[in-house]
Amino acid sequence: MEKIKIILVDDHSLVRDGIKSILQTEENIEIVGEASNFDELQVFLKNRKCDIVVLDISLPDVSGIKICSILRESHPDIKVLILSMYINEEFIFNALQAGAKGYLPKNTNKKELLAAVKAIFTGNEYFSTEISEIILKSYVNKVQNKKDVNTSEELSKREKEVLILFAEGSSNSEISDKLFISVRTVESHKNHIMQKLQLKNTVDLIKYAIKNKYVDL
């Protein structure tokens, strides 16, 4: 059976020893290197074949997230498993954007660490329950916020009429005559539309109307 070749990157030797003692209990896992910083990691990568880098975020020279991003470009076949004490949303999503395939807190247990390594090696992603809950909560919040924005962007029937006429090239006075409202009311509707849709200028207003098919080109 092919062994999973792993390099451990953490600036605390005691932490590396603990991770190594867990991973070496598996016959199909081989620790091919240990590094305390990015420079040491680079030396190992030049001379050793590696499948997975188990990586801490807080390092003395280059952050783990930056290293993750570098490895994605320079060694796309190597997968990164983040093992960190930092489990807030910002660090998690920065790591995912940098290309990490897994994320575990440092207090994870042996069973989960081994499960993560095996999952990542086979091409899957792995996140602990705690990390998954943070990701899910963030997603739900973003969806809810999007709903709130969409709700606030609802245009009234009159506002839609003003939007269409304006996008078709009608002036304020022409819109006033067509809808039997004052010019000041037309301007007020336009301002409300801009605020609701968070548009900066009249060009954006016209683009919005075209994009959302209020008018045809």
Side-chain angles (χ1 to χ4, degrees):
M1 180 183 293
E2 181 185 3
K3 287 193 174 184
I4 304 172
K5 296 177 174 57
I6 295 176
I7 295 177
L8 307 178
V9 185
D10 194 295
D11 59 331
H12 295 95
S13 59
L14 189 62
V15 173
R16 295 199 306 273
D17 288 343
I19 300 171
K20 183 167 60 176
S21 67
I22 292 175
L23 296 179
Q24 286 183 332
T25 62
E26 298 293 299
E27 292 183 357
N28 66 328
I29 292 178
E30 179 183 0
I31 306 300
V32 297
E34 296 181 49
S36 61
N37 55 53
F38 183 50
D39 288 339
E40 291 179 6
L41 171 62
Q42 286 183 303
V43 173
F44 282 115
L45 291 177
K46 289 178 181 178
N47 303 295
R48 309 281 177 86
K49 182 184 183 300
C50 174
D51 299 305
I52 297 174
V53 171
V54 177
L55 181 63
D56 186 19
I57 284 180
S58 179
L59 295 170
D61 51 356
V62 181
S63 75
I65 291 174
K66 179 64 176 178
I67 292 174
C68 188
S69 181
I70 293 171
L71 291 179
R72 182 178 58 184
E73 299 297 325
S74 61
H75 297 79
D77 294 334
I78 294 178
K79 301 173 177 66
V80 174
L81 170 60
I82 297 292
L83 188 61
S84 175
M85 62 181 289
Y86 299 107
I87 57 171
N88 60 55
E89 182 180 321
E90 180 182 359
F91 281 104
I92 294 169
F93 280 93
N94 283 343
L96 296 183
Q97 290 174 356
K101 297 301 180 182
Y103 201 117
L104 298 175
K106 276 193 172 178
N107 63 355
T108 193
N109 57 46
K110 173 182 177 180
K111 181 179 179 181
E112 188 152 56
L113 177 58
L114 292 173
V117 167
K118 292 174 183 178
I120 291 172
F121 180 70
T122 56
N124 297 308
E125 296 181 338
Y126 193 98
F127 307 101
S128 69
T129 301
E130 187 175 7
I131 301 299
S132 296
E133 288 176 352
I134 293 172
I135 294 172
L136 179 59
K137 183 178 179 180
S138 174
Y139 173 76
V140 170
N141 288 338
K142 288 179 180 178
V143 170
Q144 186 59 54
N145 289 338
K146 186 175 181 180
K147 287 181 179 179
D148 293 341
V149 170
N150 288 338
T151 300
S152 68
E153 290 178 356
E154 286 293 332
L155 300 180
S156 68
K157 181 180 178 181
R158 179 63 84 192
E159 287 169 343
K160 290 178 181 178
E161 291 173 340
V162 171
L163 173 61
I164 292 170
L165 290 171
F166 181 75
E168 289 176 341
S170 298
S171 65
N172 287 351
S173 59
E174 289 172 337
I175 296 173
S176 172
D177 292 339
K178 290 176 182 177
L179 298 181
F180 304 102
I181 56 178
S182 70
V183 172
R184 178 170 294 182
T185 300
V186 173
E187 293 174 347
S188 177
H189 281 311
K190 283 174 61 179
N191 288 333
H192 289 159
I193 294 169
M194 301 276 282
Q195 291 174 2
K196 284 185 177 182
L197 302 180
Q198 299 180 8
L199 303 176
K200 296 180 180 179
N201 50 51
T202 55
V203 174
D204 288 343
L205 195 65
I206 294 172
K207 286 181 179 179
Y208 177 88
I210 294 172
K211 180 180 179 180
N212 291 275
K213 298 182 179 180
Y214 283 103
V215 294
D216 296 323
L217 290 174

